[in-house]
Structures are given as C-alpha cells and as structure tokens.
Amino acid sequence: MLESLPSRPLTTAEGFALHQSDAFRMVTPASVSTRAESDDELVSALVAVRDGVVFGVYYDVEADGWDVVYRETYEEPSESNALVDEAGRAAQDEVGLDEADWEAVDDAEVVRRERGESEYARRLFDAYDRGTE
C-alpha cells in the first residue's frame, strides 16, 4: 500500500487522482491540513481500500513518511463500510484530530482564522516543500 504513495504529503488533487486510479477501489482523505494565509491543502491522513483490505494511513512528520495505523481485511464489499469509518478514526487520531474539530469543518475559513496553522500543518507543508524541490 505505501509503495503507491509518494515519499511526501499528498495534495488533495493527488489524493483524488489515487481514488480515480485502477490501483484502489477507493481512496478518501481522513484529514486535510491547510497552510496559514492560503487555500493550499495537503492530505495528512487517508483511507484506502484495495484487494479486500482497508488501510488507514497518515503522514508522520517525525519520521518524514507515511505510516499504516490501520489494516483490516474483509470478505464482502458491504463489510468495508464500517472498516472505512474505523480506519478514518484511527488515522485522524494520529494527526491529532478529534470530533470537536469536525464540528467546524463546514466553515473552513472560520477554522483557519480562529485556529491558524497548527504546528503539525506547518511541518507537513515543510515536508511537502522539501519533497517537491
């Protein structure tokens, strides 16, 4: 699974491209970080479904790479829905996202203005910038 990801954080467009690719049944962001004073977004955690396995992964800014925090197999496609939710929560936990954060997600401008750029987001964008130089 990790071999399908670049060695740097993903843009939201790259995450969508993975979802559209034949390599996965589904890819969806579990958490997106925004750079202060801009609309730039990076996927900090995601859920991927492929070959009967649901993965929850996040970008570990300490290790400077992606890490799998959830991996569960399933038999029937209908079983994957609950696993996707579990994988998303596991990945969100790793990037420090909690349920209270999701209450304000619909108004991203308010979140940005009130909270500013987190230390995690700053380091995530630093890793992205280094990986694209």
Side-chain angles (χ1 to χ4, degrees):
M1 162 47 208
L2 294 180
E3 70 278 355
S4 300
L5 300 175
S7 59
R8 56 163 177 72
L10 293 169
T11 64
T12 51
E14 290 169 328
F16 183 70
L18 279 177
H19 174 69
Q20 298 287 43
S21 76
D22 292 334
F24 296 95
R25 184 173 147 244
M26 182 199 81
V27 173
T28 187
S31 178
V32 174
S33 294
T34 305
R35 190 186 304 247
E37 307 300 322
S38 83
D39 292 331
D40 296 343
E41 295 180 330
L42 293 176
V43 176
S44 48
L46 62 86
V47 175
V49 180
R50 150 171 137 179
D51 302 328
V53 182
V54 175
F55 297 91
V57 302
Y58 80 104
Y59 192 83
D60 183 345
V61 295
E62 297 294 324
D64 208 21
W66 293 95
D67 192 18
V68 176
V69 294
Y70 184 94
R71 183 185 191 286
E72 201 63 49
T73 60
Y74 64 89
E75 296 290 323
E76 297 295 322
S78 61
E79 298 172 21
S80 68
N81 293 339
L83 299 177
V84 164
D85 290 341
E86 290 176 22
R89 281 190 296 279
Q92 290 166 354
D93 287 347
E94 293 297 327
V95 296
L97 191 67
D98 61 33
E99 283 187 35
D101 292 325
W102 283 106
E103 293 172 9
V105 163
D106 288 335
D107 193 349
E109 186 58 36
V110 170
V111 172
R112 229 176 288 147
R113 189 172 52 249
E114 290 179 359
R115 297 188 184 179
E117 184 177 80
S118 70
E119 177 64 15
Y120 176 84
R122 186 190 61 73
R123 294 178 68 194
L124 189 72
F125 277 94
D126 287 348
Y128 177 80
D129 292 341
R130 282 191 311 273
T132 57
E133 291 177 337

